């Protein structure tokens, strides 16, 4: 493991919560594609499959920020465990209602419950911010590591989910996704030493984190980005089915995640002097351009190559996005702020999967990639119009909460937030690599 990654995992408890977060996030990569595969296997209706996937995403968009806001106030353990139990109960209802051919409206009701899943990725990144919030180099590497883990989930998650649903029984993929969620969340919340300190209600003045102009730009852009992801999932499954190799869809989607994984791993080793908002704009534009070759696909090998290239811009853009959220959102609302970006993706995913499903049913699989192309152009346009709002704010409210965190660290002997400042400085000098500070 390169020295910057060794440095971040030297913090006590870092390996444990990151590993738990990996298993918890496998659900994200398996659930939607598993529902699409399950419903299309049992009913042959891609429109219904896409609409159910969209329902999950919309419910996640509504419930996700509220769950994270409660986490900021009451702590991860007290909120995540009940939310996870609600999600898994709804998932059980969805599997039974699909298998028993209950009326369509019951599928939508249970899908809405499945969407109440907590944002495990935001919870893990909040722990990294609590440990390395005053060490930009190490926090950049930590966010890069988490983006790599995200992509590893998306490499193996679809393969497992689609493979189980097509070779064993249709409900197998979503069922295993629910098991990963329960195991990951309960393992994560069992690790109390690295859990960020909750912030009382009085520190949440000023309303939602979404009132930040910079966060508004990120979320709006991520809605269009989510359309890309949602449409790619549905259209790729339909395209592979049309080619007579439906199970190969998981491998093709994994190639996209592999490109993102490799790019994220390299990105975490680099140190930048340019402003993060400029790198973010470049990443969004690169993602938009990478949608153009998809309009020309005619077979699965060409599709795999095109998706690999498209994946190269995903993880670096996500890493920079988390750094921008950390800059523009008060510490007392950090988990909520990170979840709002996921919410933007969820809303876009809902729109993209639903629109792509109807386009596939009406005009065929190849035409569905037009949805991805239009979404990429829209994402670039929104980013161009609003990126100036992402310039660093002169002052971030919530410093008082940060001071209380530091006081709590002293009381707990440093366990709460990992190595002491002197240890982190030593890690930076000896292991984190050279270069200027992240951002401008």
């Amino acid at each position: 493991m390169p020295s910057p990654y060794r440095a971040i995992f030297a913090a006590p408890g870092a390996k444990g919560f990151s590993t738990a977060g990996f298993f918890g996030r496998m659900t994200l990569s398996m659930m939607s594609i598993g529902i699409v595969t399950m419903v299309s296997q049992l009913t042959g209706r891609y429109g219904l499959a896409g609409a159910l996937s969209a329902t999950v995403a919309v419910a996640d968009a509504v419930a996700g920020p509220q769950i994270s806001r409660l986490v900021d106030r009451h702590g991860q353990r007290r909120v995540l465990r009940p939310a996870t139990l609600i999600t898994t109960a709804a998932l059980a209802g969805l599997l039974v209602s699909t298998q028993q051919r209950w009326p369509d409206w019951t599928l939508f009701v249970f899908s809405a419950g499945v969407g109440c899943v907590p944002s495990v990725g935001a919870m893990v990144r909040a722990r990294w911010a609590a440990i390395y919030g005053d060490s930009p180099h190490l926090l950049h590497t930590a966010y890069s590591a988490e983006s790599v883990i995200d992509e590893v989930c998306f490499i193996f998650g679809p393969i497992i989910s689609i493979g189980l649903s097509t070779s064993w029984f249709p409900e197998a993929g979503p069922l295993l996704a629910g098991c990963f969620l329960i195991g990951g969340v309960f393992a994560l919340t069992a690790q109390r030493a690295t859990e960020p300190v909750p912030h009382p209600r009085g520190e949440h003045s000023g309303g939602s984190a979404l009132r930040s102009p910079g966060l508004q730009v990120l979320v709006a852009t991520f809605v269009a980005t989510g359309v890309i992801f949602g449409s790619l999932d549905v259209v790729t499954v339909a395209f592979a089915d049309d080619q007579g190799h439906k199970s190969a869809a998981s491998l093709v989607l994994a190639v996209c995640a592999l490109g993102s994984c490799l790019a994220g791993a390299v990105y975490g080793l680099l140190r930048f002097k340019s402003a993060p908002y400029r790198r973010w704009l470049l990443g969004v534009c690169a993602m938009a351009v990478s949608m153009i070759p998809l309009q020309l696909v005619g077979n699965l090998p060409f599709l795999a190559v095109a998706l690999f290239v498209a994946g190269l811009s995903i993880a670096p853009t996500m890493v920079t996005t988390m750094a921008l959220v950390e800059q523009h959102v008060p510490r007392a609302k950090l988990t909520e702020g990170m979840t709002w970006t996921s919410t933007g993706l969820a809303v876009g995913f809902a729109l993209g999967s639903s629109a792509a499903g109807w386009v596939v049913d009406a005009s065929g699989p190849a035409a569905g990639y037009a949805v991805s192309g239009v979404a990429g152009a829209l994402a670039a346009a929104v980013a161009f119009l609003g990126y100036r709002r992402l310039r660093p704010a002169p002052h971030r409210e919530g410093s008082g909460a940060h001071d209380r965190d530091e006081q709590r660290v002293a009381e707990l002997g440093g366990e709460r937030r990992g190595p002491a400042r002197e240890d982190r400085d030593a890690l930076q000098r000896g292991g984190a690599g050279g270069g200027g500070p992240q951002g401008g």
Side-chain angles (χ1 to χ4, degrees), residues 86-158:
I86 292 173
T87 299
T88 51
L91 176 61
L94 177 62
L95 298 183
V96 172
S97 60
T98 305
Q99 198 274 335
Q100 294 296 319
R101 306 295 199 277
W102 290 359
D104 288 354
W105 67 267
T106 62
L107 307 185
F108 285 97
V109 170
F110 287 122
S111 294
V114 172
C116 296
V117 60
S119 177
V120 178
M123 306 304 156
V124 175
R125 287 177 172 88
R127 294 191 181 218
W128 283 119
I131 295 174
Y132 293 129
D134 55 354
S135 302
H137 287 173
L138 295 177
L139 188 59
H140 166 75
T141 303
Y143 285 160
S144 298
E146 290 305 315
S147 289
V148 170
I149 292 173
D150 283 340
E151 299 309 329
V152 170
C153 290
F154 277 94
I155 290 173
F156 293 104

Side-chain angles (χ1 to χ4, degrees), residues 180-384:
F180 276 133
L181 178 64
I182 293 177
V185 168
F186 275 74
L188 177 67
T189 53
Q191 302 177 50
R192 304 298 300 277
T194 54
E195 180 179 343
V197 180
H199 299 272
R201 180 182 295 270
E203 296 176 12
H204 291 258
S205 59
S208 170
L210 194 57
R211 297 186 64 174
S212 164
L215 185 59
Q216 291 170 6
V217 173
L218 295 174
V219 173
T221 305
F222 268 39
V223 171
T225 305
V227 174
I228 295 175
F229 297 157
S231 59
L232 287 181
D233 271 8
V234 174
V235 179
T236 299
V237 172
F239 187 85
D241 191 14
D242 185 65
Q243 296 285 310
H245 302 283
K246 186 173 184 177
S247 60
S250 59
L251 298 176
V252 175
L253 291 172
V255 168
C256 179
L258 176 62
S260 180
C261 179
L262 295 176
V266 174
Y267 193 74
L269 301 175
L270 304 177
R271 296 292 175 259
F272 299 95
K273 295 183 179 180
S274 61
Y277 70 92
R278 292 195 179 98
R279 299 199 305 272
W280 175 82
L281 176 63
L282 180 61
V284 174
C285 292
M287 198 182 305
V289 172
S290 69
M291 294 298 106
I292 296 176
L294 296 176
Q295 315 308 312
L296 307 175
V297 296
N299 53 62
L300 286 175
F302 180 58
L303 176 61
V305 173
L307 287 177
F308 177 84
V309 174
L312 295 176
S313 59
I314 294 176
T317 305
M318 297 299 179
V319 173
T320 310
T321 299
M322 292 301 108
L324 290 170
V325 171
E326 207 271 338
Q327 284 184 2
H328 288 270
V329 174
R331 187 173 298 275
K333 303 177 183 179
L334 184 58
T335 307
E336 180 194 349
M338 290 181 174
T339 304
W340 272 115
T341 60
S342 300
T343 295
L345 285 174
V347 171
F349 193 98
L351 297 173
S353 59
S354 182
W358 292 116
V359 170
V360 167
D361 284 345
S363 304
Y369 285 116
V371 177
S372 306
V374 172
L378 181 60
V382 174
F384 264 114

